[in-house]
Amino acid sequence: MPSSPTPSPTPSPTPEPSGVRRRSLLGAAAAAPVLASLAGAGSASAAPAASATAGHAGSPRALPGGGDLGPNVIVFDPSTANIQGRLDEIFKQQESAQFGTGRYALLFKPGTYSGLNAQLGFYTSIAGLGLSPDDTTINGDVTVDAGWFDGNATQNFWRSAENLALVPVSGTNRWAVSQAAPFRRMHVRGGLNLAPDGYGWASGGYIADSRIDGTVGPYSQQQWYTRDSSVGGWLNAVWNMVFSGVEGAPAQSFPEPPYTTLETTPVSREKPFLYLDGDEYRVFLPEKRTGARGVSWGNGTPRGTSLPLAQFYVARPDDSAATLNQALEEGLHLLLTPGIYHLDRTVEVNRAGTVVLGLGYATLIPDNGVTALKVADVDGVRLAGFLVDAGPVNSATLVEVGPEGASADHSANPTTVQDVFVRIGGAGPGKATTSLVVNSRHTIVDHTWVWRADHGDGVGWETNRADYGVVVNGDDVLITGLFVEHFNKYDVQWNGERGRTVFFQNEKAYDAPDQAAIQNGSIKGYAAYKVGDDVTEHEGWGLGSYCYYNVNPSIVQHHGFAAPNRSGVRFHGLLVVSLGGNGQYECVINDTGSPTSGTDTVPSKVVQYP
């Protein structure tokens, strides 16, 4: 692994193989049972709309819109007593509850808060309730560290910070995360440290629509993607640092240091968010930006539209899929309050412009092998902020954006999928042939982690079988911030035309028993990222694949990337890494790129292809 090109105040370590980091201490990976939910004072509410409110196509609405946000949405204002004590209580429950059932959203009304250190554990989201991050200022920190895992941050998943201004006590806020931990719409009036205390291993991560006035220090972070933001500086790089539309980003320099920098993001539309307009809760819907650079809220109020909470069905974990579908059919949007939802049928989003927004990592589990959620081939659907956890009976798919053969033009108003995460196994047995299928044209997938678990409960080559992570059949699809790991066959299979990916992070499945188990016809192993043989146009920037075949280190993976060899299919900044020599790559893409070798964790890189 390359050493840090820029000196840091504390020597930057050489990260160990991420396979070691995730397989270490597996006995401690399954969290202890979570305490009972915190209930009562501090939960948010809004008056429900009258049940007779007109629904879809003018029919009477049987289900109310608006209402109480439930016991696991904790709302603070500057006058709230003992905020720190409440934060500490939730963190104590969630710190090591990696596969627990607790889910929390911590919401701060506009104003100024002082002397706080909000430590975030698993399935905990913190957010301000203003229209701009600067409406809600914390003179203090929002901290993610790794004391629970002996200073190893590579399992700091499933937590988020959004829409706050921070004035860190020491001048630098610590955000030591790995996958599925977005940092959105944040203003850090100081620096940001992405490594844990002690500068142990980390495998993140994602920043969007944020302003960091000081320097970002990734230190031991193996890879990172930053989009449409502003930074005061950036210290170092390990394997793969990607920037698009970031003011102050390092200049393009891949392969050394491994910075892949795009001046703008081709198309982006920020994630919907809950805010307060006086005493009324509303959901803001940011507008689409083309060729975006910098934050969307730079001049104060962001641009877009908003909806009152009365137009949302505020769902609770005990709601059935039938109830969720009824709400959608009646013309309501869905706000999924924190908790675990079991679905005995598919949630079907058929109306253009529908918003499905989760709070506090609301989790959908499909029962009996159903697909958790399907979206029709319509304009402007927004899916955001929830986790889909595969059930024990195999689902053919878990999330489908558009039906098979979808062909409508959605360029003016695309569907967006943001902070929607998928997990197969880990919390218990789970199976799914394909996790996320994108059929609708012009869809934007903005930050996803699609993960076949490599640790936890219900883990094994056939136990949590999942052949494909993400399959893209639609044309003109853009993915910004794509994390897909450990699938039995292709992690990503891209069949649509004119697809684009900005940043990709992958680990091949650790647990393949032998070479025959991964053999793909005459090819050794399935590529992490496969572009269909008939595709004529495709482009990717900053893509990495790692192997750690710890069950059988003799396994050979021919390449990390496979694509048609034609001029319209282009890649910039590719790398493969063998983690500690547990398995090897023969090439990077197709038959191009040097093989990995030995036990040193040194990337093999291809700057441009073809």
Side-chain angles (χ1 to χ4, degrees):
M1 171 183 301
S3 59
S4 301
T6 304
S8 57
T10 300
S12 185
T14 299
E16 70 180 356
S18 58
V20 173
R21 45 123 174 148
R22 292 214 188 150
R23 287 298 186 178
S24 61
L25 302 179
L26 286 189
V34 179
L35 301 175
S37 298
L38 297 177
S43 60
S45 63
S51 60
T53 301
H56 186 51
S59 59
R61 179 181 292 160
L63 293 172
D68 189 86
L69 298 183
N72 286 13
V73 176
I74 315 298
V75 180
F76 303 101
D77 65 49
S79 66
T80 302
N82 194 23
I83 297 174
Q84 188 64 55
R86 200 74 186 275
L87 296 174
D88 291 347
E89 186 178 3
I90 294 169
F91 177 64
K92 183 178 180 180
Q93 291 187 38
Q94 299 303 111
E95 180 183 12
S96 59
Q98 182 171 179
F99 298 113
T101 58
R103 304 286 188 274
Y104 291 95
L106 311 176
L107 305 183
F108 285 73
K109 293 183 179 181
T112 300
Y113 303 77
S114 297
L116 297 182
N117 181 16
Q119 300 183 80
L120 300 187
F122 287 97
Y123 314 110
T124 305
S125 298
I126 188 170
L129 285 170
L131 263 181
S132 164
D134 290 323
D135 292 341
T136 310
T137 299
I138 293 178
N139 290 305
D141 296 83
V142 171
T143 301
V144 177
D145 206 346
W148 75 279
F149 204 48
D150 295 333
N152 179 340
T154 59
Q155 292 183 23
N156 282 349
F157 312 140
W158 304 306
R159 63 201 76 197
S160 67
E162 301 183 48
N163 206 29
L164 292 165
L166 304 178
V167 184
V169 170
S170 70
T172 300
N173 190 75
R174 186 183 302 280
W175 185 256
V177 299
S178 288
Q179 289 80 3
F183 197 80
R184 287 185 182 269
R185 294 179 52 77
M186 297 289 287
H187 184 188
V188 181
R189 298 176 193 164
L192 188 64
N193 184 340
L194 304 179
D197 186 33
Y199 296 85
W201 327 126
S203 180
Y206 176 89
I207 294 170
D209 201 25
S210 293
R211 177 175 289 149
I212 294 91
D213 293 344
T215 298
V216 179
Y219 303 108
S220 55
Q221 284 286 354
Q222 294 165 345
Q223 65 276 315
W224 199 275
Y225 175 52
T226 307
R227 178 182 65 70
D228 298 354
S229 294
S230 174
V231 299
W234 193 277
L235 271 185
N236 71 293
V238 176
W239 288 343
N240 190 31
M241 299 287 168
V242 180
F243 308 84
S244 69
V246 179
E247 298 168 344
Q252 169 72 33
S253 59
F254 192 94
E256 191 58 44
Y259 294 136
T260 298
T261 303
L262 289 73
E263 284 296 304
T264 61
T265 302
V267 187
S268 59
R269 188 173 70 191
E270 299 303 331
K271 178 184 173 186
F273 61 93
L274 190 69
Y275 75 102
L276 275 172
D277 181 11
D279 293 328
E280 179 191 12
Y281 284 100
R282 299 181 69 89
V283 172
F284 193 82
L285 307 178
E287 70 174 20
K288 187 185 74 170
R289 296 200 290 168
T290 301
R293 181 171 174 84
V295 299
S296 69
W297 45 272
N299 295 320
T301 303
R303 302 181 70 169
T305 58
S306 72
L307 297 169
L309 192 65
Q311 292 184 22
F312 284 78
Y313 179 71
V314 180
R316 297 292 188 93
D318 58 358
D319 280 328
S320 67
T323 298
L324 301 181
N325 281 328
Q326 181 183 348
L328 291 169
E329 290 165 4
E330 292 179 0
L332 290 165
H333 306 274
L334 292 182
L335 186 73
L336 304 173
T337 63
I340 296 175
Y341 297 71
H342 279 271
L343 307 175
D344 63 353
R345 67 187 70 177
T346 300
V347 175
E348 299 190 37
V349 179
N350 296 319
R351 189 179 73 257
T354 299
V355 179
V356 180
L357 176 62
L359 301 179
Y361 286 81
T363 301
L364 308 180
I365 301 179
D367 294 329
N368 304 318
V370 302
T371 297
L373 188 146
K374 291 183 179 181
V375 179
D377 194 22
V378 295
D379 272 359
V381 171
R382 304 182 195 227
L383 308 179
F386 55 90
L387 172 64
V388 178
D389 207 350
V393 178
N394 185 73
S395 293
T397 58
L398 291 174
V399 178
E400 292 183 20
V401 180
E404 184 177 351
S407 60
D409 185 327
H410 303 296
S411 55
N413 190 8
T415 285
T416 45
V417 181
Q418 299 175 285
D419 300 346
V420 173
F421 307 117
V422 178
R423 178 174 66 194
I424 300 93
K431 291 186 177 183
T433 303
T434 304
S435 293
L436 170 62
V437 180
V438 180
N439 293 317
S440 286
R441 295 181 61 197
H442 303 102
T443 298
I444 300 171
V445 180
D446 174 45
H447 190 224
T448 187
W449 184 38
V450 181
W451 185 57
R452 176 182 168 265
D454 60 272
H455 62 269
D457 293 332
V459 171
W461 184 248
E462 296 294 345
T463 306
N464 61 328
R465 181 85 194 185
D467 284 350
Y468 307 102
V470 175
V471 174
V472 179
N473 296 317
D475 294 339
D476 308 291
V477 170
L478 170 66
I479 303 186
T480 51
L482 177 59
F483 300 74
V484 188
E485 297 187 301
H486 308 308
F487 285 84
N488 295 77
K489 292 185 178 179
Y490 293 124
D491 297 276
V492 174
Q493 183 168 357
W494 203 301
N495 302 316
E497 287 286 357
R498 297 175 298 282
R500 293 174 290 183
T501 295
V502 184
F503 181 88
F504 172 65
Q505 185 265 331
N506 166 262
E507 290 178 350
K508 294 302 300 173
Y510 295 168
D511 53 350
D514 50 40
Q515 189 75 43
I518 65 162
Q519 193 69 15
N520 180 15
S522 61
I523 300 172
K524 298 173 185 174
Y526 289 80
Y529 189 107
K530 163 71 171 174
V531 179
D533 295 339
D534 296 331
V535 171
T536 60
E537 292 184 53
H538 187 90
E539 195 159 11
W541 296 263
L543 289 80
S545 176
Y546 323 147
C547 74
Y548 183 73
Y549 288 114
N550 65 331
V551 171
N552 190 334
S554 69
I555 290 176
V556 175
Q557 177 84 22
H558 181 61
H559 47 214
F561 304 91
N565 187 13
R566 51 178 64 105
S567 61
V569 179
R570 303 183 300 274
F571 290 92
H572 317 273
L574 295 167
L575 65 109
V576 296
V577 184
S578 168
L579 305 177
N582 291 273
Q584 301 290 347
Y585 291 92
E586 293 179 327
C587 304
V588 178
I589 179 168
N590 294 344
D591 300 321
T592 297
S594 301
T596 58
S597 62
T599 59
D600 292 332
T601 303
V602 177
S604 176
K605 300 174 182 176
V606 168
V607 177
Q608 301 282 349
Y609 185 87

